[in-house]
Amino acid sequence: MIWSILALIGGGTFIFNGLAVLTDPDCASVDFSGGRAVLATCYTSSSAGAVSGNFAGLGMILFGGMLLYIAWRSFRRGN
């Protein structure tokens, strides 16, 4: 049950951050880092090793949607 709640929170956070990256006109590239928490840093120009802003935003939205789907399936099963 606790993992489903964490998946809901994490999925919502990924979707929110993905939308923020997509709607930011100054975000040309995104670099991911962090240990327990994933940090997405936007750069105004292309940076070495960074992902394009549109690709990163869409990827974060898809990953967040996947987490929400997993949490929804878990709640439906009753676990």
Side-chain angles (χ1 to χ4, degrees), residues 1 3-5 68-79:
M1 179 68 147
W3 295 112
S4 299
I5 294 170
L68 290 177
Y69 177 74
I70 290 170
W72 175 72
R73 293 276 303 197
S74 178
F75 278 132
R76 258 185 80 182
R77 263 194 332 208
N79 292 338

Side-chain angles (χ1 to χ4, degrees), residues 46-72:
S46 293
S47 177
V51 181
S52 74
N54 291 337
F55 183 71
L58 289 174
M60 287 192 297
I61 290 172
L62 289 175
F63 186 71
M66 183 181 67
L67 286 175
L68 290 177
Y69 177 74
I70 290 170
W72 175 72

Side-chain angles (χ1 to χ4, degrees), residues 10 19 21 23 30 32-33 48-49 53 56 59 65-66 77:
L19 289 173
V21 166
T23 58
V30 178
F32 294 102
S33 63
M66 183 181 67
R77 263 194 332 208

Side-chain angles (χ1 to χ4, degrees), residues 1-58:
M1 179 68 147
I2 187 73
W3 295 112
S4 299
I5 294 170
L6 289 176
L8 285 173
I9 294 169
T13 302
F14 269 104
I15 290 173
F16 180 75
N17 285 334
L19 289 173
V21 166
L22 284 177
T23 58
D24 187 3
D26 294 330
C27 188
S29 62
V30 178
D31 188 20
F32 294 102
S33 63
R36 292 180 183 220
V38 177
L39 302 173
T41 306
C42 282
Y43 296 104
T44 55
S45 62
S46 293
S47 177
V51 181
S52 74
N54 291 337
F55 183 71
L58 289 174

